[in-house]
């Protein structure tokens, strides 16, 4: 990625009659695919630098950027689905859950990489034991690494700086009892516009002035559309996001203008996933849900395990082994290590702090009624006002109630009537 780069319907009881309440398994599956795209972007340079094979020129950077773009759009979508009107503690609950979901595993893997760097620095291609750089990495603050890129010590954690910044803005909106979109959209639009005016060697504190922050906005807009709660203002923010994105991408000098396609591609991928949600066979849902839950671990752990596995394979296999074999070995190793870390570390940790799947700590509940809580009155246009007619309503009817994942894989039951708003390294080709 170039450096020069949340209602309506009437409230009522929601009945859960199945031990597996409806959840957006499609979004979970899309999350896993996105992580896999990032892995696919990193594998060719891993192979090139650790074997005698030379992969052909592939659009690996675009694949990695697309995976990250979908991640950001999903985060925007989920922020709308999971932020509901709470009498007390809504902002605190939101921020608490996000921090607990993101920070522990990230810190664990960052510490593992730091330990490797201190014991055997020769095994890492970009390691600098500078005190401020290490502290900034743990604090998710932007800082320039030894290669001049604004990247943390564990390179792929740069996206978490964007995620946490987005969550901070949403939390501010919740504290102010505002619809998060009405706060997030202006802030992100200003940052995207500011990216056009950044100097060539911009300081690290300008890191979040980037068009990619608009992906959170389009995810939020799409959530409103999917729930039938979009208003003309919601639609207008979506148009603004697309316009500013296109302008910023075209006027900013980048190696390839194909990056302008990332926002529409990520939006289309998420929209299509929501539309086909009901068509996903029941027998596939548990597996897809688990893959989505493991996507965060896959994203964070693969830069540590995949290069090592490829290097070992290069010592065992003959020099004439095609690069594709090493690539396949790397992808399989990434998936297996991601699933292992999720199963052995991430899932138990989330259950221990109370962020696991429903019923994980006290057994599953069935046949229970849950109050949807306060809801905004429907406007003159039906669902959420004038914007509730036409395509939006059709989309809302086509999509199911959601049990979405907060951030990276923490599920929260939300029905459509509950969706009420309150009043990869930076360069995917970068090595570990």
């Amino acid at each position: 990625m170039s450096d020069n780069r949340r209602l309506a319907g009437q409230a009522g009881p929601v009945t859960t009659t199945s031990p597996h309440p409806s959840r957006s398994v499609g979004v979970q599956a899309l999350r896993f695919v996105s992580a896999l795209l990032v892995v696919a972007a990193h594998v060719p340079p891993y192979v090139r630098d650790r074997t005698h094979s030379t992969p052909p020129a592939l659009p690996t950077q675009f694949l990695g950027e697309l995976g990250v773009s979908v991640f950001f759009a999903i985060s925007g979508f989920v922020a709308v689905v999971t932020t509901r009107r709470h009498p007390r503690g809504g902002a605190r609950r939101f921020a608490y859950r996000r921090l607990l979901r993101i920070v522990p595993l990230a810190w664990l893997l960052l510490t593992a990489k730091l330990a490797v760097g201190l014991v055997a620095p020769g095994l890492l291609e970009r390691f600098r034991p500078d005190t401020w750089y290490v502290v900034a990495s743990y604090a998710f603050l932007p800082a320039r690494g030894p290669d001049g890129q604004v990247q943390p010590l564990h390179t792929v954690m740069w996206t978490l700086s964007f995620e946490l910044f987005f969550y901070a803005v949403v939390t501010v909106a919740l504290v102010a009892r505002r619809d998060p979109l009405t706060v997030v959209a202006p802030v992100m639009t200003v940052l995207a516009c500011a990216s056009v005016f950044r100097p060539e060697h911009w300081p690290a504190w300008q890191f979040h002035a980037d068009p990619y922050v608009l992906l959170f906005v389009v995810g939020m807009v799409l959530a409103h559309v999917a729930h039938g709660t979009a208003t003309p203002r919601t639609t207008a923010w979506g148009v603004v996001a697309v316009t500013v994105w296109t302008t910023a991408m075209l006027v900013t000098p980048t190696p390839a203008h194909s990056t302008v396609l990332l926002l529409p591609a990520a939006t289309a991928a998420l929209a299509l996933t929501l539309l086909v949600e009901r068509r996903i066979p029941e027998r596939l849902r548990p597996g897809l849900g688990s893959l989505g839950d493991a996507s965060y671990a896959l994203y964070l752990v693969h830069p540590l395990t995949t290069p090592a596995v490829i290097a070992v394979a290069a010592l065992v296999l003959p020099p004439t082994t095609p690069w594709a074999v090493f690539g396949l070995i790397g992808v399989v190793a990434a998936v297996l290590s991601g699933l292992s870390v999720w199963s052995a570390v991430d899932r138990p940790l989330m259950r221990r702090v109370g962020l696991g799947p429903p019923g994980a700590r006290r057994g599953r509940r069935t046949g229970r009624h849950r109050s949807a809580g306060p809801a905004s009155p429907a406007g003159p246009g039906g669902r959420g006002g004038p914007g509730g007619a036409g395509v939006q309503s059709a989309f809302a009817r086509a999509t199911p109630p959601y049990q979405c994942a907060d951030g990276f894989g923490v599920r929260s039951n939300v029905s459509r009537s509950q969706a009420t708003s309150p009043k990869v390294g930076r360069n995917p080709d970068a090595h570990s």
Side-chain angles (χ1 to χ4, degrees):
M1 186 180 297
S2 172
D3 282 343
N4 292 319
R5 347 232 129 316
R6 128 266 287 219
L7 357 189
Q10 188 160 351
V14 177
T15 304
T16 300
T17 58
S18 168
H20 302 284
S22 176
R23 65 189 178 112
S24 188
V25 173
V27 174
Q28 287 289 81
L30 183 61
R31 194 191 308 276
F32 176 77
V33 172
S34 301
L36 208 54
L37 285 176
V38 176
V39 172
H42 290 170
V43 164
Y46 292 160
V47 171
R48 182 178 59 243
D49 295 341
R50 292 164 177 83
T51 73
H52 298 285
S53 303
T54 303
L58 298 170
T60 56
Q61 182 167 332
F62 181 82
L63 289 177
E65 291 178 354
L66 179 58
V68 169
S69 298
V70 175
F71 266 136
F72 287 174
I74 291 176
S75 294
F77 177 88
V78 172
V80 171
V81 175
T82 59
T83 52
R84 294 165 293 176
R85 182 173 295 164
H86 293 283
R88 294 174 298 175
R92 181 170 62 249
R93 176 181 180 274
F94 178 85
Y96 175 79
R97 290 174 66 87
R98 270 57 187 182
L99 287 174
L100 279 183
R101 183 64 193 98
I102 288 180
V103 173
L105 186 61
W107 277 1
L108 177 63
L109 294 176
L110 175 59
T111 301
K113 184 166 184 177
L114 178 61
V116 171
L118 292 175
V119 173
L123 296 179
L124 302 180
E125 297 181 9
R126 52 181 317 275
F127 178 74
R128 187 182 70 188
D130 175 80
T131 301
W132 165 244
Y133 183 57
V134 173
V135 170
S137 295
Y138 275 98
F140 302 94
L141 296 175
R144 293 198 179 273
D147 55 1
Q149 298 289 320
V150 181
Q151 297 173 334
L153 176 60
H154 189 32
T155 312
V156 294
M157 283 175 55
W158 72 265
T159 60
L160 304 186
S161 180
F162 276 88
E163 293 274 354
L164 290 173
F165 176 77
F166 166 63
Y167 295 151
V169 178
V170 173
T171 301
V172 170
L174 295 175
V175 169
R177 298 183 178 277
R178 298 285 302 276
D179 178 348
L181 179 62
T182 65
V183 177
V184 170
V187 170
M188 301 310 187
T189 300
V190 169
L191 287 172
C193 291
S195 68
V196 177
F197 302 99
R198 291 192 305 188
E200 182 178 357
H201 301 291
W202 46 271
W205 62 267
Q206 296 181 4
F207 180 64
H208 299 105
D210 192 301
Y212 284 77
V213 297
L214 294 172
L215 288 152
F216 297 113
V217 178
V218 297
M220 299 178 81
V221 171
L222 188 55
H224 278 296
V225 174
H227 288 86
T229 60
T231 64
R233 179 175 296 182
T234 306
T235 305
W237 278 121
V239 172
V240 169
V242 172
T243 302
V244 174
W245 167 276
T246 304
T247 303
M249 284 298 181
L250 292 180
V251 303
T252 302
T254 56
H257 288 310
S258 60
T259 52
V260 75
L261 301 175
L262 292 173
L263 184 143
T267 305
L270 181 54
L272 181 61
T273 298
L274 297 173
L275 286 172
V276 303
E277 175 70 31
R278 291 190 183 275
R279 299 179 180 273
I280 299 176
E282 192 65 31
R283 66 181 182 277
L284 298 180
R285 289 178 174 272
L288 292 177
S290 295
L291 288 177
D293 291 341
S295 61
Y296 184 42
L298 169 60
Y299 177 76
L300 286 179
V301 77
H302 82 269
L304 299 177
T305 58
T306 305
V309 171
I310 292 177
V312 171
L315 296 176
V316 175
L317 299 177
T320 56
T321 302
W323 77 269
V325 174
F326 291 110
L328 180 60
I329 291 174
V331 171
V332 172
V335 173
L336 292 178
S337 62
L339 289 171
S340 299
V341 170
W342 167 70
S343 179
V345 180
D346 195 30
R347 180 170 58 173
L349 178 61
M350 291 302 100
R351 287 177 173 176
R352 185 174 184 83
V353 299
L355 297 186
R361 302 182 73 197
R362 300 179 182 176
R364 295 188 180 275
R365 300 178 180 180
T366 61
R368 298 297 179 93
H369 295 269
R370 299 183 183 182
S371 171
S376 300
R383 290 178 177 267
V391 175
Q392 174 193 199
S393 295
F395 193 6
R397 289 193 298 269
T399 54
Y402 297 101
Q403 184 191 60
C404 282
D406 299 353
F408 292 89
V410 181
R411 293 188 289 277
S412 173
N413 288 322
V414 183
S415 75
R416 208 171 284 127
S417 63
Q418 289 175 288
T420 308
S421 62
K423 298 241 166 161
V424 151
R426 187 74 211 247
N427 174 5
D429 288 339
H431 299 176
S432 60

